[in-house]
Amino acid sequence: MDKKTAKKTIAKKPARKRATAKPHAEKMAHVEHAPAEVSVKPAKVPAGKNFYTVGRRKTAVAQILLSSGDGKITVNELPFEKYFMTEPLRKIAEQPLSATGLITTLNIRSKIHGGGIHAQAEALRHAVARGIIMFNPEARRLLKKQGFLTRDSRVKERKKPGLKRARRAPQFSKR
């Protein structure tokens, strides 16, 4: 075969499949922490014994005292329902208790300061989860899986000199 008559055969590459994009709402959907299927054997809280723990979120700090009782929760000497007025905030704070089934067997006294009301609810959730594993180490796997033991360390970045905020530069003016 000479050059003129011979045709080069080029192997065609198979067409690439495009990944189908998920809708934006599905990507950003808020994950609700529902009680997991894994059941934890409810541990009996020793009568007369208290467990002290600290939970944090942003600049909010929650110090709690866990004891056996009838499920009464007080925050800064106020009833739980009076301090956290909305249902979503109460749910956030009670998540570790409902996940482990201890919502009616523990009394919680807490002091919370700093941050906003939402960060305070998450700090209380962190402290309650830490307290539960102090007397019931078997609950650790369940609480860790649902993310209640992880300290969310995201805090507001400090303002830098010469900038309006942490990274926001002053508006540029040509003249």
Side-chain angles (χ1 to χ4, degrees), residues 122-162:
E122 291 185 1
L124 182 61
R125 175 178 71 185
H126 186 226
V128 169
R130 282 177 150 186
I132 289 171
I133 61 167
M134 286 181 86
F135 71 87
N136 186 8
E138 296 164 5
R140 182 177 176 84
R141 173 181 266 163
L142 172 72
L143 294 171
K144 185 78 174 171
K145 185 178 178 187
Q146 293 190 358
F148 301 145
L149 295 175
T150 306
R151 198 276 202 222
D152 193 348
S153 61
R154 294 174 295 169
V155 293
K156 188 170 180 174
E157 196 174 335
R158 77 172 191 89
K159 184 193 175 300
K160 314 301 187 301

Side-chain angles (χ1 to χ4, degrees), residues 1-7:
M1 282 192 206
D2 59 330
K3 285 184 181 178
K4 291 180 182 175
T5 57
K7 288 186 178 179

